[in-house]
Amino acid sequence: MAVDRAEELWRHQALAPHATLPWESRGRLHAEPEAPTRSPFQRDRDRIIHSTAFRRLKHKTQVFVYHEGDHYRTRLTHSLEVAQIARTICRTLRFDEDLGEAVALAHDLGHTPFGHAGEEALHAAMKPFGGFDHNAQTLRILTKLEERYAEFNGLNLTWETLEGAVKHNGPLLRDGRTLDDLPAAIVEYCRDHDLELGGHAGPEAQVAALSDDIAYNNHDIDDGLRAGLFEIADLKELPLVGDMFTLVEKTYPGLAHSRLIHEAIRRMINAMVEDVLAETRLRLADARPRSVADIRALGRPIIAFSDAMAANDRIIKAFLYKRMYEHWHLNRSHSKARRVVLDLFGLLFAEPNCLPPPWRERAEAAGRPARARIVADYIAGMTDRYALDEHKRLFDLYQ
């Protein structure tokens, strides 16, 4: 036990008083003995990594469908990149690194196959039955759909990790929104385990949210260049991005194209991370929080870009939306993806006897709204590859 005491001492010394302290966790919905060698948030992180939903991210679209190339980001590699950035920021600011990593790894578990195109289609199909929201689906996976443990459904994560997964992008009850405006899965869960939807999440979840922005802005530029959707010359007028490419070209004249891209992007990530650290330190100095409760009570994020970097971020996002996400090549892929999802939902909802067991038994015994949610759960859990194969099996007469 000497090693355990040394670990606990290290945590007390390493974490800031206003971090989310693991020894003060609000616990789990289903009480469990704590692990002797891992903090509650380490244990959450490990359960997420070992989950089926996490493995499926390997073949779920980030921007490009899996068969378009082996080197484009998937939901899995994106989540790993988010986690790496979140760990760095949390460690530097003396927040709980394990909690930041857990939220980062979990934040995209609820995504459908084919990314946002798949979600749009599934939401349209589910509109008569409450719609579909990937954030709510993440909570369903973490608290219900993963069936691994003898004593409970879901992963039975701590309150803090679930709060972070649901609220990492900010309070859900704001701008006039009420519980009636939220997905039923979130409202139903919070009846038993209140995640305090009207307030901001703790600092580690806020770190994960901003790390998500940093990761996808930069890796989407990388993937967009790799796919030939735009060229380096097209980026030169963008703030931060153009400066970094110009700097690398001047520092390393004649550098190979692939190295030039990597050198510029790693500098962009570093610049964004350094900006978050500087701005957050200013906000911490101004707010002077003594506990994580003080951070939740601020009414505004404690983790943020500076105004200048936030403006850069908006311009970069606008460029990517116009030149990448709405590119005709991706529009074709997204159109096909929406048809696949709508076809699958229509057939499986109308003919639940086509579902594999035990999905079939559940769907046939359910009323229409419940059956629709079961079919949505089944489709949302698919990888891109499985969805395409299932569509072929169900709609191709020669399969």
Side-chain angles (χ1 to χ4, degrees):
M1 296 299 293
V3 173
D4 298 339
R5 287 197 298 271
E7 174 77 8
E8 191 71 9
L9 177 62
W10 174 84
R11 288 186 183 280
H12 278 77
Q13 293 173 338
L15 295 177
H18 49 263
T20 306
L21 305 176
W23 54 87
E24 294 182 1
S25 171
R26 301 193 197 184
R28 307 173 190 277
L29 181 61
H30 305 282
E32 296 182 66
E34 289 301 339
T37 56
R38 292 177 294 166
S39 80
F41 305 144
Q42 279 182 287
R43 205 174 183 190
D44 286 356
R45 185 267 321 277
D46 296 345
R47 287 183 175 186
I48 292 163
I49 288 174
H50 286 277
S51 69
T52 302
F54 185 73
R55 290 196 298 277
R56 286 176 179 157
L57 297 181
K58 176 183 179 183
H59 290 298
K60 286 197 174 191
T61 294
Q62 179 63 28
V63 175
F64 296 94
V65 178
Y66 84 96
H67 64 263
E68 298 196 51
D70 291 338
H71 293 157
Y72 297 120
R73 269 70 172 191
T74 65
R75 286 286 166 191
L76 179 62
T77 58
H78 164 69
S79 297
L80 293 173
E81 291 183 32
V82 175
Q84 179 269 317
I85 294 169
R87 286 201 320 268
T88 297
I89 295 173
C90 284
R91 184 181 302 176
T92 305
L93 295 173
R94 298 176 61 209
F95 298 145
D96 191 283
E97 187 178 338
D98 299 313
L99 178 56
E101 183 178 17
V103 175
L105 293 174
H107 83 284
D108 269 356
L109 291 180
H111 270 288
T112 64
F114 313 120
H116 291 289
E119 179 172 3
E120 290 166 6
L122 196 52
H123 177 65
M126 284 292 293
K127 208 158 190 180
F129 309 103
F132 179 88
D133 174 83
H134 77 265
N135 202 38
Q137 192 69 10
T138 293
L139 185 65
R140 283 177 63 77
I141 289 167
L142 295 176
T143 62
K144 185 174 183 178
L145 298 181
E146 282 284 330
E147 298 179 344
R148 306 176 61 83
Y149 298 93
E151 297 184 1
F152 48 79
N153 288 330
L155 302 182
N156 198 33
L157 304 181
T158 61
W159 184 93
E160 291 80 7
T161 299
L162 293 176
E163 181 215 26
V166 170
K167 293 162 46 181
H168 63 279
N169 285 325
L172 273 63
L173 298 178
R174 62 179 175 183
D175 302 327
R177 297 181 79 191
T178 68
L179 287 174
D180 292 337
D181 300 315
L182 301 183
I186 295 176
V187 176
E188 290 168 6
Y189 183 81
C190 287
R191 289 185 187 135
D192 297 322
H193 203 198
D194 185 9
L195 299 177
E196 300 176 2
L197 303 177
H200 283 277
E204 292 84 359
Q206 295 182 37
V207 167
L210 217 50
S211 299
D212 185 25
D213 279 4
I214 294 170
Y216 76 70
N217 274 344
N218 286 283
H219 67 49
D220 285 358
I221 289 174
D222 188 9
D223 283 351
L225 288 168
R226 184 186 299 277
L229 303 185
F230 45 81
E231 302 295 334
I232 291 174
D234 300 320
L235 303 170
K236 289 297 182 72
E237 298 304 315
L238 291 180
L240 181 66
V241 183
D243 294 340
M244 293 304 175
F245 274 98
T246 299
L247 173 63
V248 174
E249 287 173 334
K250 289 182 178 178
T251 306
Y252 304 101
L255 189 65
H257 187 73
S258 60
R259 293 176 188 260
L260 169 60
I261 293 170
H262 176 70
E263 286 290 341
I265 286 176
R266 75 186 187 96
R267 285 167 170 77
M268 287 154 48
I269 293 173
N270 186 66
M272 288 184 166
V273 168
E274 291 295 333
D275 183 87
V276 170
L277 293 173
E279 178 65 20
T280 300
R281 286 180 176 126
L282 289 174
R283 294 188 177 208
L284 287 168
D286 178 61
R288 302 173 70 180
R290 296 183 179 181
S291 69
V292 68
D294 289 344
I295 287 179
R296 288 195 176 96
L298 283 175
R300 63 185 179 92
I302 198 75
I303 312 297
F305 287 132
S306 67
D307 289 344
M309 187 62 77
N312 292 344
D313 180 63
R314 289 191 293 271
I315 293 170
I316 293 168
K317 281 182 169 65
F319 173 87
L320 288 171
Y321 184 84
K322 181 179 180 181
R323 297 296 300 274
M324 186 173 186
Y325 310 142
E326 286 293 310
H327 192 281
W328 69 268
H329 175 78
L330 289 178
N331 283 341
R332 287 186 172 190
S333 178
H334 294 163
S335 177
K336 180 179 179 181
R338 284 190 288 269
R339 290 196 302 275
V340 168
V341 170
L342 289 171
D343 284 349
L344 288 174
F345 183 90
L347 186 147
L348 295 172
F349 180 68
E351 303 178 47
N353 60 344
C354 291
L355 286 163
W359 295 92
R360 172 180 176 172
E361 289 79 5
R362 295 171 182 168
E364 288 184 330
R368 285 175 58 82
R371 183 199 303 172
R373 187 60 58 186
I374 290 167
V375 173
D377 287 341
Y378 178 65
I379 294 173
M382 294 179 179
T383 62
D384 297 359
R385 178 168 57 188
Y386 186 82
L388 291 171
D389 288 346
E390 190 79 332
H391 189 271
K392 188 179 295 184
R393 283 189 289 266
L394 289 169
F395 289 93
D396 190 335
L397 297 177
Y398 297 99
Q399 287 294 312

